Amino acid sequence: MTKNAKLEAWVKQVRAMCQPDRVRWCDGSQAEYDEMIHLMLRSGTAQPLDPRKRPNSYLVRSDPGDVARVEDRTFICSEDEQAAGPTNNWRDPAEMKVALTKLFTGCMRGRTLYVIPFSMGPIGSPIAYTGVQLSDSPYVVASMRIMTRMGQPVLDALGDGDFVPCLHSVGMPLSPGKMDVAWPCNADDKYIVHFPETREIWSFGSGYGGNALLGKKCLALRIASVIARDEGWLAEHMLILKLTNPSGQVHYICGAFPSACGKTNLAMMRPALPGWRVETIGDDIAWMRFGDDGRLYAMNPEAGFFGVAPGTNETSNPNAMATLRENVLFTNCALTPDGDVWWEDMTNELPERLTDWRGQPWTRDLKASAAHPNARFTASASQCPVMSPEWQNPHGVPISAILFGGRRATVVPLVQEARDWKHGTFLGSIIGSEKTAAAAGKVGDLRRDPMAMLPFCGYNMADYWSHWLRIGRHPGAQLPRIYLVNWFRKSAGGDFLWPGFGENVRVLKWIFERCEGTAKAVETPIGRLPAEGELEVTGLDVSRENLAELLHVDTEGWLADVVAMREYYEQFGDRMPPELRVELEALGQRLSVCR
Ligand code: GTP
Ligand code: SPV
Ligand code: MN
């Protein structure tokens, strides 16, 4: 319970508006989690997996219309439209409140309103933020208990302090006596709305992932990015890993990759090079602040993984597989006849028969995938065998290098180093990626996704770049080095040129040794590439030609990118930081000389 006056008043007000049958304050206990599971089993939302195969684990099937983040229904409602910028959907906050109030009125009839206090970051940490989510979904309660530090201890630490109010409803009231559906949601109206000035979140109509677990993208990225701008820190869509070399030296690395582009895999990697060790600090979000020593310290505000299931297997990510042995919520995976989950590429051999993610019989000869491409697992970070003990450090870990990446079948080489922070900010601003299933829309199209923050930046992207440049001017800053990486180059035949996964440590090794000052680089028009022989290739199964292709500067391809970027920058008008335009034109000039 709480004596927080703002919280009590808000719950009262929401109760009057949403008209739930009852209100339940969540304490975060195991008993409460079990009760949520029980409710989901009873309503058909979840089904148990065979406890001999996957103890204490459940499969949830969402509505087929509610399977990913809905970016076209995501809004940044700042007072001034320009503050949201051209890459965000904007609505006037007052008008949006009116529209939402209409939708939320009576929307929880027949349901329970759960009060879910949560902390992003270790409870009581000076750099953590408290949120309180009000939701009518038991799936959200159970998921928030895994993904965040949740429950009574958060209220105890909060006292009468401030919190971010996060209102959520699946948007499907139940009339008296009416049976519920397995996955309630609202097919017609979905709204994922942020009010950056008042630091509020309203989410209506979806129960899935980032649409509904409001601590994650909504608070820890969209709202936090605005707070970070105002307070001089960074809230980023980045993994955090600890890399130890064979002699025991350590560097911490952050990496921004768009959704479904490899953060979880890199953060949990089992390195292919003997003696090297990767430990996980975080797999999706990093909050970075300057320490007294001028270094940037990164903290993972989450407490669990909401990870992409397809592609995860004993070879690609054995540590994820170990994390998933028990106590897991699986969503939109396929079901095996013996009561376990399955997804594409989980096993070498295709199962003969399955129940697919929609609950339909599936056989091998069918072309359709059995799991949804955005099928996910929800598991506690504490279950990951390579979790670094420092993941709970309330101050974070000092970052030596930042990676930017994405899926680029062409043009972008395996790795390149930025000359300095400004050049690195420029490289981050131009990253693009072929679209994945993590968001609704057509998969495969190339889109610009600056710093992997396109769907997550709570304000004008050009102002965000200015903020990055400002961070670079912090007095006494000992800034991380910045790299562009690309694991996804393809041959003309469509095969990946680079084996990826555990082999990515070869790239991390070069970066580590750059940080130590022991590895050599060559200057090229696009940045610094590994000098001849500097990328460790012992034991690597990649042909000389493919390796050359991976480290080749594609002058024409880059020049085409320069033209595309010039156009992309155009939309930001005079909010565009001039430094980035200067970088872009300088790149164009250097490339033209090589033509
Ligand atoms: P979000 O949770 O959406 O933010 O995604 P993420 O960035 O954590 O991506 P994740 O690590 O879950 O990877 C998504 C997909 O990319 C999975 O199917 C992986 O198997 C695949 N993938 C990850 N790393 C590599 C790699 O190095 N090479 C190749 N070819 N595929 C990879
Ligand atoms: C992403 O899409 O980047 C995710 C999954 O991490 S979600 O939580 O649904 O946003
Ligand atoms: Mn993500």
Side-chain angles (χ1 to χ4, degrees):
M1 283 295 126
T2 181
K3 290 203 164 59
N4 189 300
K6 172 181 165 182
L7 178 54
E8 284 190 322
W10 178 55
V11 172
K12 200 167 155 200
Q13 180 202 333
V14 169
R15 177 178 207 160
M17 174 173 65
C18 299
Q19 302 159 35
D21 283 6
R22 58 199 89 76
V23 173
R24 162 98 181 240
W25 290 72
C26 297
D27 60 13
S29 64
Q30 180 68 41
E32 177 184 86
Y33 178 85
D34 295 342
E35 206 184 315
M36 294 303 123
I37 295 292
H38 181 74
L39 285 172
M40 286 195 275
L41 295 175
R42 215 176 56 190
S43 63
T45 308
Q47 65 186 93
L49 298 173
D50 186 327
R52 288 164 304 183
K53 306 225 166 269
R54 209 65 74 167
N56 193 30
S57 299
Y58 302 88
L59 173 63
V60 173
R61 292 195 190 106
S62 80
D63 184 281
D66 195 20
V67 293
R69 284 182 295 99
V70 282
E71 294 180 3
D72 58 332
R73 305 304 304 159
T74 300
F75 298 88
I76 302 297
C77 298
S78 38
E79 293 292 337
D80 169 18
E81 180 169 2
Q82 286 307 311
T87 59
N88 280 313
N89 301 312
W90 177 87
R91 295 278 175 84
D92 175 76
E95 284 171 25
M96 183 58 104
K97 281 266 173 79
V98 171
L100 286 177
T101 301
K102 237 182 236 160
L103 284 172
F104 273 91
T105 299
C107 73
M108 295 187 186
R109 268 183 224 142
R111 300 192 185 278
T112 303
L113 165 59
Y114 298 97
V115 182
I116 313 166
F118 62 93
S119 177
M120 299 313 288
I123 295 174
S125 154
I127 57 176
Y129 270 86
T130 301
V132 180
Q133 180 161 352
L134 304 187
S135 173
D136 51 7
S137 162
Y139 173 76
V140 165
V141 176
S143 300
M144 288 295 284
R145 181 166 184 269
I146 299 173
M147 293 304 297
T148 68
R149 287 111 172 146
M150 186 272 260
Q152 187 59 41
V154 178
L155 289 182
D156 295 343
L158 177 66
D160 56 7
D162 204 7
F163 62 93
V164 177
C166 308
L167 175 55
H168 170 251
S169 172
V170 295
M172 191 185 170
L174 272 179
S175 33
K178 205 174 152 227
M179 274 286 286
D180 204 358
V181 295
W183 182 273
C185 63
N186 192 306
D188 307 318
D189 274 318
K190 288 188 175 59
Y191 282 91
I192 320 299
V193 185
H194 309 74
F195 300 94
E197 278 103 358
T198 51
R199 297 183 186 174
E200 292 169 272
I201 300 158
W202 293 49
S203 165
F204 184 88
S206 167
Y208 202 85
N211 298 335
L213 312 178
L214 302 187
K216 196 173 176 60
K217 307 301 183 175
C218 298
L219 196 166
L221 287 178
R222 297 194 191 97
I223 296 292
S225 63
V226 174
I227 301 174
R229 174 200 61 193
D230 296 345
E231 295 180 357
W233 50 283
L234 294 167
E236 301 297 328
H237 189 208
M238 290 182 184
L239 69 97
I240 314 166
L241 65 80
K242 176 181 184 179
L243 181 61
T244 307
N245 75 357
S247 29
Q249 289 168 294
V250 169
H251 282 286
Y252 298 94
I253 297 176
C254 277
F257 300 75
S259 302
C261 290
K263 289 182 299 301
T264 303
N265 278 270
L266 195 67
M268 295 184 190
M269 178 214 287
R270 179 179 294 173
L273 292 175
W276 288 79
R277 205 162 80 209
V278 166
E279 287 161 277
T280 314
I281 311 263
D283 84 322
D284 201 51
I285 299 176
W287 285 356
M288 277 187 276
R289 291 168 202 259
F290 283 108
D292 295 336
D293 56 0
R295 297 189 70 185
L296 275 175
Y297 283 71
M299 185 261 271
N300 170 14
E302 302 191 277
F305 308 116
F306 182 63
V308 177
T312 309
N313 60 52
E314 287 297 343
T315 312
S316 67
N317 194 347
N319 291 317
M321 294 306 281
T323 306
L324 303 180
R325 271 187 207 134
E326 55 185 350
N327 312 317
V328 187
L329 284 181
F330 294 96
T331 310
N332 291 340
C333 299
L335 180 69
T336 66
D338 57 0
D340 198 5
V341 281
W342 191 87
W343 49 74
E344 274 58 34
D345 292 330
M346 183 190 202
T347 50
N348 283 332
E349 226 173 290
L350 279 181
E352 248 169 74
R353 283 178 306 118
L354 293 165
T355 306
D356 75 7
W357 67 276
R358 294 169 188 256
Q360 301 301 315
W362 180 96
T363 49
R364 234 194 271 216
D365 45 306
L366 285 175
K367 285 275 180 292
S369 58
H372 186 277
N374 194 36
R376 297 216 174 221
F377 53 78
T378 312
S380 169
S382 61
Q383 296 192 171
C384 176
V386 292
M387 213 59 200
S388 158
E390 285 123 306
W391 86 275
Q392 303 264 32
N393 183 330
H395 302 288
V397 293
I399 297 303
S400 302
I402 292 175
L403 320 182
F404 290 118
R407 287 177 189 265
R408 289 296 302 267
T410 57
V411 185
V412 177
L414 180 63
V415 58
Q416 68 190 66
E417 184 185 67
R419 283 189 312 278
D420 52 29
W421 183 266
K422 203 196 296 172
H423 185 221
T425 301
F426 164 70
L427 290 179
S429 82
I430 67 168
I431 62 173
S433 193
E434 285 127 26
K435 253 195 99 270
T436 67
K442 187 164 174 279
V443 171
D445 288 350
L446 180 71
R447 73 164 182 182
R448 299 286 151 192
D449 191 347
M451 279 82 169
M453 282 289 278
L454 178 70
F456 308 121
C457 185
Y459 61 104
N460 190 307
M461 188 62 79
D463 296 352
Y464 167 79
W465 292 329
S466 297
H467 179 57
W468 264 78
L469 294 167
R470 202 156 47 235
I471 290 282
R473 295 191 295 267
H474 181 87
Q478 302 283 322
L479 297 162
R481 289 166 175 261
I482 298 180
Y483 297 82
L484 197 57
V485 298
N486 181 17
W487 321 139
F488 298 95
R489 277 294 284 272
K490 284 185 177 166
S491 67
D495 297 320
F496 287 116
L497 291 177
W498 179 251
F501 303 103
E503 301 287 0
N504 292 335
V505 73
R506 296 172 189 275
V507 172
L508 296 190
K509 174 178 184 280
W510 182 69
I511 291 170
F512 185 107
E513 290 167 357
R514 289 295 293 164
C515 295
E516 286 291 312
T518 54
K520 292 194 193 65
V522 284
E523 295 284 349
T524 79
I526 57 174
R528 297 171 182 153
L529 268 65
E532 184 71 34
E534 291 294 290
L535 187 75
E536 178 66 69
V537 293
T538 317
L540 177 68
D541 187 20
V542 174
S543 70
R544 280 187 81 86
E545 300 79 68
N546 283 357
L547 205 56
E549 178 67 20
L550 282 161
L551 293 173
H552 163 76
V553 180
D554 174 2
T555 306
E556 294 306 318
W558 274 96
L559 277 166
D561 256 27
V562 168
V563 174
M565 274 317 295
R566 208 175 275 141
E567 211 173 293
Y568 188 76
Y569 279 174
E570 241 3 88
Q571 65 183 313
F572 300 100
D574 36 345
R575 282 179 107 108
M576 193 61 216
E579 293 95 323
L580 297 190
R581 282 211 166 104
V582 169
E583 285 286 348
L584 180 65
E585 293 317 317
L587 170 63
Q589 300 238 302
R590 290 194 302 270
L591 287 161
S592 301
V593 173
C594 303
R595 227 173 180 170

